[in-house]
Coordinates of all heavy atoms in Angstrom, one line a residue:
K191 N -17.7 1.0 11.0 CA -17.9 1.0 9.6 C -16.9 0.1 8.9 O -15.8 -0.2 9.5 CB -17.6 2.4 9.0 CG -18.6 3.5 9.5 CD -18.2 4.8 9.0 CE -19.2 5.9 9.5 NZ -18.9 7.3 8.9
A192 N -17.3 -0.5 7.8 CA -16.4 -1.3 7.0 C -15.2 -0.4 6.6 O -15.4 0.8 6.4 CB -17.1 -1.8 5.8
W193 N -14.0 -1.0 6.5 CA -12.8 -0.2 6.2 C -12.9 0.5 4.9 O -12.6 1.7 4.8 CB -11.6 -1.1 6.2 CG -10.3 -0.4 6.1 CD1 -9.8 0.6 6.9 CD2 -9.2 -0.6 5.1 NE1 -8.6 1.1 6.5 CE2 -8.2 0.3 5.4 CE3 -9.1 -1.5 4.1 CZ2 -7.0 0.3 4.7 CZ3 -7.9 -1.5 3.4 CH2 -6.9 -0.6 3.6
D194 N -13.4 -0.1 3.9 CA -13.5 0.6 2.6 C -14.6 1.7 2.6 O -14.4 2.7 2.0 CB -13.8 -0.4 1.5 CG -15.1 -1.2 1.7 OD1 -15.4 -1.5 2.8 OD2 -15.7 -1.6 0.7
E195 N -15.6 1.5 3.5 CA -16.6 2.6 3.6 C -15.9 3.8 4.3 O -16.1 5.0 3.9 CB -17.8 2.1 4.4 CG -18.8 3.2 4.7 CD -20.0 2.8 5.6 OE1 -20.0 1.6 6.0 OE2 -20.8 3.6 5.9
F196 N -15.1 3.5 5.4 CA -14.4 4.6 6.1 C -13.5 5.3 5.1 O -13.4 6.5 5.1 CB -13.6 3.9 7.2 CG -12.7 4.9 8.0 CD1 -13.2 5.7 9.0 CD2 -11.4 5.0 7.7 CE1 -12.4 6.5 9.7 CE2 -10.5 5.8 8.4 CZ -11.1 6.6 9.4
L197 N -12.7 4.6 4.3 CA -11.8 5.2 3.3 C -12.6 6.0 2.3 O -12.1 7.0 1.8 CB -10.9 4.1 2.7 CG -9.9 3.4 3.6 CD1 -9.2 2.3 2.8 CD2 -8.9 4.5 4.1
R198 N -13.7 5.5 1.9 CA -14.5 6.2 0.8 C -14.9 7.6 1.4 O -14.8 8.6 0.6 CB -15.7 5.4 0.5 CG -16.6 6.0 -0.5 CD -16.1 5.9 -1.9 NE -15.6 4.5 -2.2 CZ -14.8 4.2 -3.2 NH1 -14.4 5.2 -4.0 NH2 -14.5 2.9 -3.5
E199 N -15.3 7.6 2.6 CA -15.7 8.9 3.2 C -14.5 9.9 3.5 O -14.6 11.1 3.2 CB -16.5 8.7 4.5 CG -17.8 7.9 4.3 CD -18.5 7.7 5.6 OE1 -17.9 8.0 6.7 OE2 -19.6 7.1 5.6
R200 N -13.4 9.3 4.0 CA -12.4 10.1 4.5 C -11.2 10.4 3.5 O -10.5 11.3 3.6 CB -11.8 9.5 5.8 CG -12.8 9.2 6.8 CD -13.3 10.5 7.5 NE -12.3 11.2 8.2 CZ -12.0 10.9 9.4 NH1 -12.7 10.1 10.1 NH2 -11.0 11.6 10.0
V201 N -11.1 9.5 2.5 CA -10.0 9.6 1.6 C -10.4 9.6 0.1 O -10.1 10.5 -0.6 CB -8.9 8.5 1.8 CG1 -7.8 8.6 0.8 CG2 -8.4 8.5 3.3
F202 N -11.1 8.5 -0.3 CA -11.3 8.4 -1.7 C -12.2 9.5 -2.3 O -11.9 10.1 -3.4 CB -12.0 7.0 -2.0 CG -11.2 5.8 -1.6 CD1 -11.8 4.6 -1.3 CD2 -9.9 5.9 -1.3 CE1 -11.1 3.5 -0.9 CE2 -9.1 4.8 -0.9 CZ -9.8 3.6 -0.7
S203 N -13.3 9.8 -1.7 CA -14.2 10.9 -2.2 C -13.5 12.2 -2.1 O -13.6 13.0 -3.2 CB -15.5 10.9 -1.4 OG -16.3 9.7 -1.7

Side-chain angles (χ1 to χ4, degrees):
K191 297 179 180 180
W193 186 53
D194 57 331
E195 180 186 355
F196 175 83
L197 288 176
R198 181 72 51 197
E199 293 177 0
R200 304 291 294 272
V201 180
F202 303 158
S203 292

